[in-house]
Amino acid sequence: MKKFVALLLAALMLMSCSAMAEKLDTLTFQFVPSKDADVIITGTANLPELVQAEMAKLGYEIGEVEISVGTSYEATGEAMCAGSIDVGWLPGGTYAIYSQAKEVDVILTATRAGLSNDSEDPTTWNGEANKTLPTDKQVTFYRSLIYAAPTEYGKALAAKVAAGEKLSWEDLDKATWAVGNTSSSAGYIYPTMWLMENYEGKKISDLSNVVQLGYADAFAQAAAEQVDIIVCYADGRRDYEAAWNTATDSADATGKAGMGREDSIWNELNVIGVTDGIYNDTVAVTTAKPEIYNPEFINALQTALINIINTEEGQAIFSVYSHTGYALATDADYDAARTALTVVQ
């Protein structure tokens, strides 16, 4: 009889625990468009089922995980502030903007494989012999690079830097620049800081010829010799290496549109400037929804995403952003990004 009662109590406890499992009909994820939207959607196609499985182990039943790509960095930040997106993958600069009113909060920082070059000397980044390669070292920062495109004027700028000459403000102001959104760390904020540090406080907004483009369009315009200078994260050439030499009527293996160049991207797209280190991308959550913004759910989501990225399948999914790991993060980690943003503004 005692054994029966014990078994009955155990069964009741299991039923109670099952009944107490938290339920969430929909969990919305959004990625910023730092890569082509189609590439991100394709690369993360298996993420929903992995999140559902991991969260179930942690006591959360998620009915559906919806993944989307924002139309801009700002669009994702604003959607999170409004509570229409639960979880966003935001660059540090974008997070610095949208966390100021405490409407979004960071839960994880991405780690990524370091690069074979971390020099502040632009001449060491150029040519096939200096091709940038990944390393096994995990880092929590990256750099943005200022690249001269293979236009006649871009080549002249690159040649001047290769000869050890400092570019003047007039040199840079004559160029046509392609930059990212104003909240993009690598595409705008840190290149602006580079200008300010080297050219007596001058900013991107002081340049005479500037167009705002996503990275894919910036590389395509550089290849088409429509812009003289582009800015991008330091491993950008690795991401577009194959597309650079793919015919314009074709796409590379990842779906990027071909750019039709004959020579190597390492020879043709030359670094003329290197920014300071940028703290890595965030995984952030909206603070507008109590079912999302609470310690229990956040802890479970942190654990789930760390578990996922530590699997082979997870590594493949998050390679779309060059993320190779996630580390716990706090809002204070991005104080430097806010300082950078204040300087730029």
Side-chain angles (χ1 to χ4, degrees):
M1 183 66 179
K2 288 181 179 180
K3 185 176 181 180
F4 173 77
V5 171
L7 289 171
L8 181 61
L9 287 172
L12 288 171
M13 287 177 67
L14 285 171
M15 289 174 64
S16 176
C17 289
S18 176
M20 290 172 61
E22 296 284 342
K23 292 185 179 181
L24 198 63
D25 291 336
T26 305
L27 181 62
T28 55
F29 287 173
Q30 189 163 102
F31 294 87
V32 296
S34 57
K35 302 287 178 70
D36 293 346
D38 290 345
V39 172
I40 294 172
I41 293 297
T42 299
T44 58
N46 296 335
L47 183 58
E49 61 187 60
L50 296 179
V51 170
Q52 288 169 318
E54 286 295 327
M55 292 295 282
K57 296 175 188 175
L58 298 165
Y60 285 87
E61 182 183 328
I62 311 295
E64 185 177 3
V65 178
E66 296 180 353
I67 293 180
S68 60
V69 179
T71 55
S72 68
Y73 292 25
E74 292 84 358
T76 299
E78 288 166 8
M80 293 184 69
C81 289
S84 55
I85 293 295
D86 301 325
V87 184
W89 274 253
L90 301 176
T94 308
Y95 175 75
I97 291 174
Y98 291 97
S99 61
Q100 292 182 99
K102 308 299 182 185
E103 293 175 317
V104 298
D105 197 8
V106 64
I107 63 171
L108 294 170
T109 293
T111 63
R112 62 180 76 202
L115 298 177
S116 54
N117 191 350
D118 189 44
S119 171
E120 295 183 1
D121 177 358
T123 63
T124 67
W125 292 82
N126 299 322
E128 193 73 33
N130 293 320
K131 184 175 178 177
T132 307
L133 299 172
T135 68
D136 293 333
K137 182 181 178 182
Q138 293 296 297
V139 295
T140 57
F141 75 95
Y142 64 105
R143 296 183 188 274
S144 178
L145 302 179
I146 294 86
Y147 303 88
T151 61
E152 286 304 312
Y153 192 63
K155 290 176 183 176
L157 294 176
K160 193 170 182 178
V161 171
E165 298 180 49
K166 178 179 170 58
L167 297 175
S168 68
W169 171 255
E170 290 71 24
D171 290 334
L172 297 176
D173 193 44
K174 289 177 184 176
T176 299
W177 288 61
V179 303
N181 290 308
T182 55
S183 68
S184 169
S185 297
Y188 195 94
I189 294 173
Y190 279 75
T192 292
M193 291 180 67
W194 177 80
L195 286 174
M196 293 175 70
E197 290 167 4
N198 290 282
Y199 297 96
E200 299 180 343
K202 296 286 190 180
K203 305 177 182 182
I204 285 177
S205 57
D206 294 314
L207 292 165
S208 299
N209 305 293
V210 178
V211 292
Q212 281 193 334
L213 299 172
Y215 290 131
D217 288 335
F219 276 85
Q221 290 290 299
E225 301 183 18
Q226 298 299 306
V227 296
D228 302 308
I229 294 174
I230 69 171
V231 297
C232 183
Y233 48 88
D235 50 342
R237 287 178 296 181
R238 288 179 55 229
D239 286 343
Y240 291 92
E241 180 178 14
W244 189 260
N245 298 126
T246 299
T248 54
D249 59 354
S250 302
D252 71 6
T254 66
K256 296 185 185 73
M259 301 179 191
R261 302 297 299 188
E262 293 185 4
D263 198 359
S264 162
I265 195 171
W266 307 100
N267 294 332
E268 291 205 288
L269 200 62
N270 284 284
V271 177
I272 58 173
V274 182
T275 75
D276 291 338
I278 307 167
Y279 214 74
N280 274 352
D281 297 343
T282 73
V283 181
V285 297
T286 181
T287 64
K289 298 168 73 171
E291 65 271 30
I292 301 297
Y293 193 60
N294 64 78
E296 294 78 16
F297 183 84
I298 288 172
N299 182 64
L301 186 59
Q302 288 170 323
T303 301
L305 290 174
I306 289 171
N307 288 346
I308 290 169
I309 203 169
N310 285 334
T311 66
E312 186 174 340
E313 189 172 8
Q315 287 282 309
I317 289 171
F318 290 111
S319 67
V320 72
Y321 267 0
S322 302
H323 295 175
T324 55
Y326 288 117
L328 299 181
T330 65
D331 182 71
D333 293 335
Y334 290 87
D335 285 345
R338 290 189 191 91
T339 301
L341 188 64
T342 301
V343 169
V344 170
Q345 290 174 337

